[in-house]
Amino acid sequence: MRFSVAQFCGDNLGLNALLGFTESFSSNYFCRTCKAHKTTTRTQTKEDVTLMRNEVNHAEDVRHANLSETGVRRDSVLNNLSYFHVTHNQVADIMHDLLEGVGPYELKLVLSSLIEDKHLTLEKLNFRITSFDYGFPDLKNKPSVIGKHELKNPEGAMHQSAAQTWCLLRLLPCMIGDLIPEDNKHWELLLLLLDCMEFIISPSLTPEATVYLAAIIDEHHSLFLELYPNLHLRPKHHFMVHYPNAILKLGPLVQFWSMRFEAKHGFF
Ligand SMILES: [Zn+2]
């Protein structure tokens, strides 16, 4: 039996370690797909094709042997394979990027803004979360109530599993949409993120859909920077700009996500 390696799946840290890139997401060149400096990624709303990693610049980076200037820790033994190179590994960790990263982060920022603008109170939000009719498929993913201290610290952990976060994000427009004025920009940011996620988590996509996805990711990131001028885009926002191209090369990214691996970890 003959076989060849097409792609490796894993979470961000696992993939960076396996493929020989930096294992810190606060380092200068943390992205395994492109060579954008971390200060560039903080305001970058779309993929820059001139910065992509490839076999040629990767070989130079290996020779240069300077982690803080290249993001490359070492050459990977996987590059000895006939049909594989680490710079061709386009798999994205959409579960951690979205459901344990951008999703809860923006959810907390947006809910805090809505509560501050008096469109909502935390008590009302939690009442709607607990009394919502989730139906049979979502009952096991019913979100937990949100604590006051969680909203105060958007970068901290949210006490929801990835499946609960996805359930909460998807159903939030039905839960509290009636309370929010139509032109609210913060709410628009969350709805844009949901639009992006619908494409990213979809099990089937057309090539044209990736062009549209790139446009709404650009729009979403730009709106984030406009609404929160004191904050910047985080590494997980940056990974999103590579999704449309990754989908074109590999197909729907949900086929490669870490959700099933994490479920197995949960079991153990
Ligand atoms: Zn990148």
Side-chain angles (χ1 to χ4, degrees), residues 28-208:
N28 290 338
Y29 298 92
F30 62 82
C31 181
R32 58 184 178 274
T33 308
C34 78
K35 287 166 65 76
H37 190 271
K38 70 175 173 192
T39 50
T40 310
T41 64
R42 287 174 179 172
T43 52
Q44 190 183 350
T45 61
K46 46 189 160 194
E47 188 174 58
D48 183 344
V49 286
T50 62
L51 293 176
M52 303 304 275
R53 291 189 189 274
N54 55 44
E55 288 171 50
V56 177
N57 62 35
H58 186 264
E60 276 166 27
D61 291 346
V62 170
R63 270 197 302 277
H64 192 49
N66 188 327
L67 185 65
S68 71
E69 285 177 19
T70 62
V72 176
R73 183 176 287 280
R74 57 181 157 74
D75 196 11
S76 174
V77 69
L78 299 170
N79 289 335
N80 296 335
L81 292 167
S82 301
Y83 306 107
F84 182 85
H85 192 269
V86 292
T87 57
H88 300 165
N89 207 79
Q90 298 270 328
V91 164
D93 180 10
I94 60 173
M95 180 198 137
H96 291 103
D97 290 350
L98 299 173
L99 301 182
E100 292 187 1
V102 176
Y105 179 60
E106 290 190 3
L107 185 64
K108 285 188 269 188
L109 287 174
V110 169
L111 287 175
S112 298
S113 309
L114 294 176
I115 290 171
E116 218 166 89
D117 295 344
K118 308 230 181 311
H119 298 305
L120 189 68
T121 62
L122 187 60
E123 292 70 31
K124 191 159 199 168
L125 170 67
N126 280 331
F127 174 74
R128 294 219 172 170
I129 290 176
T130 48
S131 59
F132 191 80
D133 180 5
Y134 290 89
F136 182 71
D138 274 321
L139 202 57
K140 62 181 188 300
N141 302 326
K142 184 176 175 175
S144 312
V145 291
I146 297 170
K148 214 179 210 166
H149 54 281
E150 280 181 73
L151 291 185
K152 281 194 182 138
N153 179 19
E155 291 180 24
M158 200 165 183
H159 302 297
Q160 317 269 359
S161 67
Q164 282 178 304
T165 305
W166 184 215
C167 179
L168 180 60
L169 279 169
R170 256 186 310 117
L171 298 176
L172 200 66
C174 305
M175 288 185 206
I176 60 165
D178 61 307
L179 303 171
I180 320 296
E182 244 178 57
D183 55 351
N184 188 289
K185 288 267 187 188
H186 297 275
W187 187 240
E188 197 184 309
L189 180 77
L190 200 67
L191 295 181
L192 261 173
L193 179 66
L194 280 172
D195 279 349
C196 296
M197 287 173 78
E198 205 161 308
F199 281 96
I200 296 162
I201 298 183
S202 165
S204 96
L205 286 160
T206 60
E208 293 77 18

